[in-house]
């Protein structure tokens, strides 16, 4: 699976949009981009995934660049409960078993 | 539908003891995984399984063993526990990839916190 690079930490004001970047310059054609988050020491929670097109669900939006080498997770109206570690991972069809996580981005939403 | 269930939630071991962390899923997922997470760090893959009877090593397999005799269960065995194995352990599962598509979402358990003294 392709490696990802994320900033170590970010702050965001409550009510504002949180934009979390992820670089995955070695992504291959069949690999999806997935985002998860981990609140305190709970198990990671799935947020969203995408292949080429931008995606939106009830939790967030995912913007993937045209060359697919980077993506941005957008939390449109961050709340204090969105304070968490956010992980961007890239997984493909052929080696889905080896799903590796990096250290993620610690997002702190401030009042 | 319980999802992924891990037991125990907490455990303290003495150096050299052995134990098994249990993981069960009720979603009929083929893929199962064990991760460990040290304080302030990301998740490291220990072992994974793509189906009953099939297991493979991840990034940090040393000191651990797994088995997958059924689709539902994926226990993680620690032999001769060491302080370096103090960590939070997460089990996860995902469904098989459909031919021609790649979406494969992981569902995680709540974690098992292990301390080795």
């Amino acid at each position: 699976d392709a490696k990802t690079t994320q900033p170590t930490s970010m702050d965001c004001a409550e009510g504002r949009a949180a934009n979390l970047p992820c670089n995955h310059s070695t992504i291959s054609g069949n690999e999806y981009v997935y985002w998860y988050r981990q609140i305190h020491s709970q198990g990671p929670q799935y947020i969203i995934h995408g292949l080429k097109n931008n995606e939106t669900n009830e939790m967030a939006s995912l913007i993937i660049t045209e060359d697919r080498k980077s993506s941005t997770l957008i939390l449109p109206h961050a709340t204090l409960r969105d304070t968490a570690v956010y992980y961007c991972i890239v997984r493909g069809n052929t080696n889905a078993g080896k799903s590796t996580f990096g250290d993620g981005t610690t997002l702190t939403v401030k009042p | 539908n319980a999802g992924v269930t891990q037991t125990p939630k907490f455990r303290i071991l003495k150096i050299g003891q052995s134990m098994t962390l249990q993981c069960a899923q009720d979603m009929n997922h083929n893929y199962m995984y064990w991760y460990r997470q040290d304080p302030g760090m990301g998740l490291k893959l220990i072992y994974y399984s793509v189906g009953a009877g099939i297991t493979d090593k991840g990034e940090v397999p040393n000191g651990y063993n797994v088995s997958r005799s059924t689709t539902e269960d994926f226990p993680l065995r620690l032999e001769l526990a060491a302080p370096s194995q103090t960590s939070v352990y997460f089990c996860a599962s995902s469904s098989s990839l459909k031919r021609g598509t790649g979406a494969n979402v992981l569902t995680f358990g709540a974690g098992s916190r292990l301390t080795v003294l």
Side-chain angles (χ1 to χ4, degrees):
Chain A
D1 290 343
K3 295 292 185 186
T4 62
T5 304
Q6 299 177 252
T8 302
S9 63
M10 296 180 64
D11 291 342
C12 177
E14 187 178 19
R16 305 297 293 267
N19 297 285
L20 290 86
C22 180
N23 285 323
H24 31 79
S25 58
T26 60
I27 192 170
S28 61
N30 66 350
E31 290 182 319
Y32 281 65
V33 180
Y34 296 81
W35 283 84
Y36 293 80
R37 74 179 182 183
Q38 186 177 28
I39 297 174
H40 296 303
S41 297
Q42 299 175 18
Q45 174 193 23
Y46 165 77
I47 301 173
I48 198 168
H49 74 278
L51 182 63
K52 298 179 184 177
N53 301 320
N54 299 337
E55 303 287 341
T56 295
N57 63 19
E58 65 278 4
M59 292 182 67
S61 295
L62 174 61
I63 308 298
I64 302 174
T65 58
E66 191 169 346
D67 63 6
R68 301 208 324 123
K69 292 185 177 182
S70 65
S71 61
T72 301
L73 178 74
I74 301 173
L75 308 177
H77 304 287
T79 70
L80 299 180
R81 288 175 293 182
D82 292 322
T83 293
V85 179
Y86 288 78
Y87 297 99
C88 164
I89 68 169
V90 176
R91 300 179 68 208
N93 294 356
T94 57
N95 199 14
K98 288 200 170 187
S99 299
T100 57
F101 284 70
D103 291 335
T105 296
T106 299
L107 174 69
T108 302
V109 181
K110 299 185 174 181
Chain B
N1 189 341
V4 178
T5 303
Q6 293 184 233
T7 56
K9 287 185 167 49
F10 302 94
R11 181 73 186 268
I12 298 174
L13 282 180
K14 294 182 179 178
I15 294 172
Q17 287 185 320
S18 301
M19 76 158 297
T20 299
L21 298 177
Q22 301 291 344
C23 177
Q25 53 92 8
D26 61 0
M27 298 171 284
N28 201 32
H29 284 172
N30 278 13
Y31 286 71
M32 295 189 75
Y33 317 77
W34 274 106
Y35 292 89
R36 61 175 286 174
Q37 185 174 37
D38 298 333
M41 306 295 286
L43 289 85
K44 299 290 185 186
L45 182 65
I46 305 172
Y47 270 97
Y48 67 98
S49 169
V50 301
I54 306 170
T55 63
D56 205 350
K57 296 177 180 179
E59 303 169 85
V60 290
N62 292 344
Y64 307 94
N65 281 301
V66 292
S67 58
R68 185 91 182 274
S69 57
T70 67
T71 298
E72 294 78 19
D73 301 297
F74 191 40
L76 178 71
R77 177 82 177 163
L78 281 73
E79 305 282 1
L80 299 174
S84 61
Q85 293 179 304
T86 293
S87 191
V88 180
Y89 292 83
F90 290 101
C91 179
S93 71
S94 65
S95 59
S96 297
L97 300 174
K98 296 179 182 178
R99 192 179 300 276
T101 71
N104 187 286
V105 175
L106 297 168
T107 300
F108 282 84
S112 297
R113 185 177 298 274
L114 176 67
T115 302
V116 182
L117 301 174

